[in-house]
């Protein structure tokens, strides 16, 4: 019986060390992704500032693609129809060549927007462009801003970096727990988690920060939302982590009945 218990303990110890290594590798990979994405954030922020500070170009002369002013490109509609783009339906407009870039590319508008009912082949539209990005489309006094503008990139990159950093922290905490289980198994005291790893624990540690980020994005604008999401998530995560570690801490073993405290022994002497 003792041999079986030793074999089970050794098996549990090896499994715990394998889990610790796997969690550490996953955390390191996520941290590397977060670091790589963070490196690209300053450039995206600079691009965002340049885009938000852009003003219309002087006159109707064609500016180069790298100009930091907003160009107006006029063209005639070649085709306008609803098409499938992935799972969504868009109102795709193509202009009759020749037109300068980026208006020579298809313009994907809202299939339920006002322009989808106004624009027809043969009509003239105005495309506003910045550098080599299509910003908006105007026709007959109706204006529609296009998705994917440069002022959306920076916050998206920051969001990806924060999500990877959060998941990396969770992976390292899981690695710490696996190492702790391995040490306890080596002494013949396997750890039985009070909250077993499952759907409930995954939802509890992953969903709250993303829910906070979603709510912050609806309450505040851009960078304020990012900062508030980080602050609120930290205010939730730090005390919860401390309480969880204290709750799962190994209790102090009670003295055996035949053992007396040192003070009692010294008093009897």
């Amino acid at each position: 019986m003792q041999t079986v218990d030793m074999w089970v303990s050794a098996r549990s110890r090896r499994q715990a060390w394998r889990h610790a290594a796997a969690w550490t590798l996953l955390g390191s990979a996520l941290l590397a992704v977060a670091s790589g994405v963070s490196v690209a954030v300053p450039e995206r922020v600079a691009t965002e500032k340049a885009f938000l500070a852009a003003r219309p170009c002087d006159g109707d002369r064609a500016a180069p693609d790298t100009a930091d002013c907003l160009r107006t490109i006029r063209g005639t509609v070649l085709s306008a129809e609803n098409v499938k783009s992935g799972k969504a339906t868009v109102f795709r407009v193509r202009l009759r060549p020749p037109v300068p870039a980026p208006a020579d590319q298809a313009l994907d508008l809202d299939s339920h927007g006002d322009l989808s009912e106004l624009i027809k082949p043969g009509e003239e539209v105005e495309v506003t462009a910045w550098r080599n990005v299509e910003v908006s489309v105007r026709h007959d006094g109706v204006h529609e801003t296009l998705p994917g503008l440069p002022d959306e990139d920076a916050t998206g990159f920051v969001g990806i970096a924060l999500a990877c950093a959060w998941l990396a922290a969770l992976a390292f905490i899981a690695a710490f727990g696996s190492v702790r289980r391995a040490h306890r198994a080596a002494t013949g005291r396997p750890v039985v988690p009070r909250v077993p790893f499952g759907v409930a624990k995954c939802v509890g540690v992953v969903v709250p920060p993303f829910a906070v980020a979603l709510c912050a994005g609806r309450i505040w604008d851009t960078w304020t939302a990012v900062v508030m999401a980080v602050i609120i998530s930290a205010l939730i995560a730090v005390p919860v982590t401390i309480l969880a570690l204290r709750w799962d801490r190994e209790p102090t073993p009670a003295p055996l009945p035949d053992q007396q405290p040192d003070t009692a022994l010294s008093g009897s002497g």
Side-chain angles (χ1 to χ4, degrees):
M1 185 66 180
Q2 185 177 3
T3 304
V4 174
D5 292 340
M6 292 178 60
W7 179 80
V8 172
S9 177
R11 183 172 177 271
S12 300
R13 187 167 63 253
R14 289 194 299 270
Q15 186 178 16
W17 279 114
R18 284 196 297 267
H19 287 171
W23 284 117
T24 302
L25 289 175
L26 178 60
S28 300
L30 289 169
L31 199 59
V33 173
S35 301
V37 174
S38 300
V39 171
V41 170
E43 180 182 355
R44 296 301 191 281
V45 172
T47 302
E48 177 181 339
K49 290 181 178 179
F51 173 70
L52 295 177
R55 296 292 180 267
C57 297
D58 295 332
D60 294 332
R61 61 182 177 83
D65 293 343
T66 56
D68 280 339
C69 60
L70 296 171
R71 294 177 290 145
T72 298
I73 302 173
R74 295 176 175 84
T76 303
V77 177
L78 176 64
S79 63
E81 57 183 348
N82 287 325
V83 298
K84 281 284 187 180
S85 178
K87 295 183 178 181
T89 300
V90 298
F91 184 66
R92 181 161 294 172
V93 177
R94 295 184 183 275
L95 302 184
R96 182 177 300 164
V99 287
D104 55 347
Q105 304 296 320
L107 305 168
D108 288 342
L109 306 178
D110 185 359
S111 60
H112 301 290
D114 294 335
L115 288 181
S116 65
E117 300 177 358
L118 296 176
I119 294 179
K120 301 290 187 289
E123 296 183 340
E124 187 178 83
V125 297
E126 295 181 353
V127 179
T128 301
W130 179 77
R131 293 186 181 177
N132 203 30
V133 179
E134 298 162 343
V135 176
S136 63
V137 178
R138 181 183 296 274
H139 171 69
D140 198 19
V142 179
H143 170 274
E144 181 175 324
T145 302
L146 297 174
L149 297 183
D151 61 340
E152 302 173 1
D153 290 346
T155 51
F157 272 63
V158 171
I160 294 173
L162 291 176
C164 290
W166 175 267
L167 295 176
L170 296 178
F172 288 132
I173 291 174
F176 168 78
S178 297
V179 171
R180 183 168 173 266
R181 282 191 293 273
H183 286 307
R184 286 177 61 86
T187 60
R189 298 174 299 166
V191 175
V192 178
R194 301 187 183 187
V195 181
F197 187 82
V199 177
K201 183 177 286 188
C202 290
V203 171
V205 298
V206 174
V207 171
F210 291 98
V212 168
L214 179 62
C215 294
R218 294 182 178 276
I219 298 174
W220 295 286
D221 294 332
T222 57
W223 292 108
T224 304
V226 172
V227 173
M228 293 304 299
V230 172
I231 293 175
I232 295 173
S233 298
L235 290 176
I236 295 173
V238 172
V240 168
T241 301
I242 294 173
L243 291 175
L245 291 174
R246 290 182 61 86
W247 182 43
D248 198 40
R249 187 175 56 184
E250 180 183 358
T252 303
L256 297 177
D258 57 346
Q259 292 181 345
Q260 297 180 356
D262 294 339
T263 55
L265 293 176
S266 60
S268 63

